[in-house]
Each structure stands twice: as structure tokens, then as C-alpha cells.
Amino acid sequence: MIVIKLIWESIRFAIQALKSNLTRTILSLLGVTVGIFAIIAVFTLVDSLENNIKNSLSFLGNNVMSIDKFDYVSSGPEYPWWKYFRRPNNSYSEYTFLSSSVKNADAVTIFADANVTVQAGNNSYSGTSLKGVAFSYKDVYDVPIDVGRYFTELEITSARNVIILGVKIAKSLFPSTDPLGKEVKIRGQKYVVIGLFEEEGEALFDTPSKDEACMIPYGSFTKLYNVGRYGMGPSIALKGREDDTGLISLENEVRGLMRAKRGLKPTQEDDFSINKSEYIMNTIGSIFDVISGAGWIIGGFSILVGGFGIANIMFVSVKERTNIIGIQKSLGAKNYFILFQFLFEAMFLSLIGGITGIIMVFLITFIDLGSLELILSLSNIILGLGVSSLIGIVSGIVPATLAARLDPVEAIRST
């Protein structure tokens, strides 16, 4: 009960301080408000951007690694593209070898990509991403089908001309009819539509979208393009086990199997690259960590100014209430009671500024930014309240200590 009374009395004194000199209080709290707004706004923007980008890169898969000619992580002027370019393409025999040999993977698949124009009657859709896949593709990557179905194993093994279309392509080619069962033409070959991907919508960046993609069996793809050692290079992808943190076991196993399959000597370096989706995700995360750090710096200066403002209010409050402090101590109030009374008041004042800053961030989440959806998370709200409370405690500790150490006789005599 004493603690509750103490908190209530501190809140009452804080409200009185707000009312007694409203302009001074608002100007003092403005620093905390701006600081919390800057930090939480940056964190909200960073979290929203990071989630949007990671969703846009969902095609990379989760816990997935791929075997390719090129290293997707390395870049810059020192990138040895000439060395990677001379590497051999993956082959279907390597895919079957890994499928039967690898033990640390839940699934193995092979696929190849190309940009094509899809036609249906007098309608056509250019710039389509065509992917030829093995039956196990759905076990490695997410293939969300909205209407229709995925390929059967027989359709894959017999290389039948069937196709799954993206929503944008289907609407463009068949604006007024159901596309299922209809025929489309790619490079002179006819394909029967058996399914439609779920609509993904606009991405923040120009990343591949299933809305403008289509998928056919791998064997059908090889009818259109020369794929393999001396043609277009396919990718081999493997999905690791959930308990294989960082895919370390799978990476070591795949490296050994690929080197054995290609007959590489111990002194020879790899003539393939193992790319893991987590590499790209970690790179994105490190970039946003830097942006978050900048947000702390920008908001930190504003909060520092706000902290000085609250300290100023508390020093004035101690000066104005010296008589009251003397009376309280003469009636038996302990030093800690006076100390916590002013600390609670400082924290309450700082919380007002923090809550105002959070409300401002919440209001900007209603701004339409196209494909970027701003979301104020609970963790950021707690962070804002925690930081503002901490600033209040730090700003109020000195004046609260001075108030607690006042001599009751001298305090009562003061004017």
C-alpha cells in the first residue's frame, strides 16, 4: 500500500508540475518525444523493410543450399568472374548421384530458368520467368498453388507438356475465361494449364515473383533448351535437416560428393560454388544493423537533450517543494521515500514524452507507402517505453538524491 501511495503521490506531483508551467514542461519533454520518435520510427522502418525484403527473397527457400557455377555472395572489382565462367555446368547425372548418395538432406532437386514469351491465341505475355523443375522441387521450395494442382510424378518423368501459370500471366492470356485445361504456347510447343500459383502481389524491390512466372517439368524444359554440360546450366538445390544448424554437415558432405563425382584431386580447388540462402539473409541483416545503429545515434542526441530538460524540471521542482520536503521528513518520511518520490516523478514525466513519440510513430504507420507496409511491433513499443523510463531515472537521480539528503530543519526554514 505504501508503494501504491508513493506512486500515486508522485504522479499527482508530476501532473501539478505539468500544470504549473505547461510551456516549460512541453519544451523540456520535446527532446524525449523527438528522441523516442526517431529511434522507434527508424526501428519500425528497418523492421518493415527487412521483413519485406526477406519475404521478397522467399524464393531462396529456408534451410536450403544450391550448387552453381557462380558464387552469389562475393562481389566487387576483385570478383573472379572469369574463373567461375570456365567452370563446368551442373548435369542431370550429378543430380541423380546426389539424390541417391547424400544422407544429410531431406530433399534434392534440379531446375533451370529462362525468360520466354507465353502465347494463347492473340494474347501474349513477354518477360516471363520459365522454370523447368524436377518432381522433388516442391520438397525443397515452397510452391503455393491457388487453383489446380502440382505436377504428378508421371508427368515429370514422362516430360509431358503441362504448365503452372502465375496470376498475372493467366489474367493477361485468359481475361474472361478459366485458364485451367486451356493451352498456351512457348517457343512453338503447346502446354496444357493444370494450375495457378497463389498471388504474391507487388514486391518492394525488383525480385522474382510467381505472379509473372510459370513452371513446367524439367524434361519438357530440355525440349526447349539445351541444358547440361555444354548448354544452359541448371541449379541443384538441397534442403537440409532442421537439426543441421548452418547446414554445416550437409555442406561438407556435398562438397566431398561433388569433388568425387567430378574427379577432382586433393590439390585442386572446387570447380563449383555452394550458395546458402542464409548468406544473403545475414548480409541483409548486417546492413539493417548499421541502419539501426544510425537510428540510435540520431535519436540518442535528442534523448540526451530531453534528459537535460527533465533534470532541469526536477531541480526546479525540488527547489519549489523544499518546504514540503522538510515537513515530510519532520513527520517521519525516510530518505528513500523522498528519493523514490522524485524518481517516480521524473520517470512519469519522461514516459509522457516517450508515449507521445510512440503515438507519433503509430500515426505514420497509416501512411500509404505502396508495397511497404509499416508495422509498429510490440517489441518496439516496449523498447520505447523502456528507454524513456530509463532516461527519466537517469535524469532524476541527481535531483532526487539532493532532495533526499536535505536537512529537515533547513528545508522548513527555506523560502
Side-chain angles (χ1 to χ4, degrees):
M1 291 299 295
I2 293 177
V3 174
I4 295 175
K5 288 181 179 179
L6 179 62
I7 295 173
W8 171 246
E9 187 173 346
S10 300
I11 293 174
R12 187 166 54 86
F13 278 130
I15 294 173
Q16 289 176 356
L18 282 170
K19 291 180 178 180
S20 62
N21 198 326
L22 191 60
T23 304
R24 181 191 68 189
T25 304
I26 291 175
L27 291 175
S28 299
L29 296 182
L30 190 60
V32 175
T33 300
V34 173
I36 295 297
F37 171 78
I39 292 175
I40 303 305
V42 169
F43 280 11
T44 299
L45 181 61
V46 166
D47 291 345
S48 301
L49 279 170
E50 190 171 4
N51 290 334
N52 194 292
I53 291 174
K54 287 184 176 180
N55 290 335
S56 298
L57 296 176
S58 60
F59 66 91
L60 295 174
N62 182 34
N63 209 35
V64 173
M65 67 165 53
S66 63
I67 304 170
D68 303 280
K69 288 174 62 171
F70 294 91
D71 188 345
Y72 294 159
V73 178
S74 302
S75 61
E78 303 298 325
Y79 186 74
W81 61 269
W82 48 269
K83 180 179 71 175
Y84 296 139
F85 187 77
R86 293 203 302 252
R87 287 176 171 180
N89 292 330
N90 295 328
S91 64
Y92 194 82
S93 63
E94 290 171 346
Y95 156 66
T96 56
F97 171 72
L98 289 175
S99 297
S100 60
S101 303
V102 71
K103 295 181 174 58
N104 289 306
D106 286 340
V108 184
T109 193
I110 187 171
F111 61 92
D113 298 275
N115 287 326
V116 297
T117 297
V118 185
Q119 297 175 314
N122 296 325
N123 299 324
S124 64
Y125 199 98
S126 301
T128 301
S129 174
L130 175 67
K131 192 183 296 290
V133 302
F135 182 72
S136 56
Y137 185 86
K138 63 179 177 56
D139 300 322
V140 178
Y141 296 100
D142 184 30
V143 185
I145 303 295
D146 183 34
V147 179
R149 60 177 177 82
Y150 186 69
F151 309 111
T152 64
E153 193 165 5
L154 178 61
E155 288 171 339
I156 295 287
T157 55
S158 60
R160 292 185 180 176
N161 285 7
V162 288
I163 190 169
I164 302 173
L165 295 178
V167 174
K168 283 188 176 181
I169 303 172
K171 289 180 179 178
S172 178
L173 299 182
F174 306 100
S176 57
T177 59
D178 183 4
L180 291 184
K182 302 295 191 301
E183 288 188 346
V184 298
K185 187 180 291 187
I186 301 175
R187 294 173 67 94
Q189 294 278 341
K190 292 182 179 180
Y191 294 84
V192 177
V193 180
I194 63 169
L196 301 179
F197 293 119
E198 287 183 3
E199 187 172 2
E200 291 186 347
E202 295 293 333
L204 180 61
F205 297 101
D206 188 20
T207 53
S209 170
K210 286 186 173 63
D211 294 348
E212 298 181 276
C214 53
M215 187 179 291
I216 62 176
Y218 186 81
S220 300
F221 190 89
T222 59
K223 298 176 185 178
L224 303 176
Y225 298 95
N226 180 22
V227 183
R229 188 71 71 191
Y230 303 104
M232 182 183 296
S235 293
I236 299 175
L238 306 94
K239 188 174 183 63
R241 300 195 310 260
E242 293 298 328
D243 60 346
D244 188 4
T245 306
L247 301 176
I248 297 174
S249 300
L250 179 58
E251 182 178 2
N252 293 333
E253 182 184 16
V254 168
R255 178 168 280 109
L257 290 172
M258 285 295 294
R259 289 182 64 86
K261 177 65 175 176
R262 294 190 175 182
L264 298 177
K265 298 178 181 179
T267 56
Q268 291 179 293
E269 67 176 14
D270 295 342
D271 60 356
F272 55 89
S273 290
I274 297 179
N275 297 300
K276 293 192 280 187
S277 57
E278 67 175 13
Y279 288 160
I280 299 176
M281 298 300 184
N282 291 339
T283 302
I284 293 172
S286 63
I287 293 173
F288 285 111
D289 287 342
V290 174
I291 299 175
S292 299
W296 273 111
I297 295 173
I298 295 170
F301 284 109
S302 297
I303 287 181
L304 185 63
V305 174
F308 285 125
I310 291 176
N312 177 61
I313 292 178
M314 297 311 300
F315 277 118
V316 173
S317 182
V318 171
K319 183 68 176 177
E320 292 175 344
R321 288 155 49 191
T322 302
N323 286 334
I324 298 176
I325 295 171
I327 295 172
Q328 287 178 330
K329 298 190 77 170
S330 66
L331 294 175
K334 303 295 184 182
N335 286 350
Y336 73 86
F337 181 88
I338 305 298
L339 176 72
F340 283 113
Q341 184 183 95
F342 282 92
L343 274 182
F344 277 126
E345 184 176 337
M347 187 172 68
F348 179 72
L349 290 171
S350 184
L351 273 173
I352 293 175
I355 291 171
T356 304
I358 292 172
I359 291 174
M360 291 170 61
V361 176
F362 178 71
L363 292 177
I364 68 171
T365 60
F366 291 98
I367 299 175
D368 185 10
L369 298 177
S371 59
L372 176 60
E373 182 182 5
L374 293 178
I375 299 176
L376 178 59
S377 64
L378 179 61
S379 61
N380 283 335
I381 294 175
I382 294 174
L383 175 64
L385 296 177
V387 171
S388 56
S389 300
L390 180 62
I391 291 299
I393 293 173
V394 172
S395 302
I397 189 67
V398 174
T401 303
L402 292 176
R405 291 180 178 179
L406 285 174
D407 182 82
V409 176
E410 295 294 331
I412 293 175
R413 289 177 178 176
S414 65
T415 57

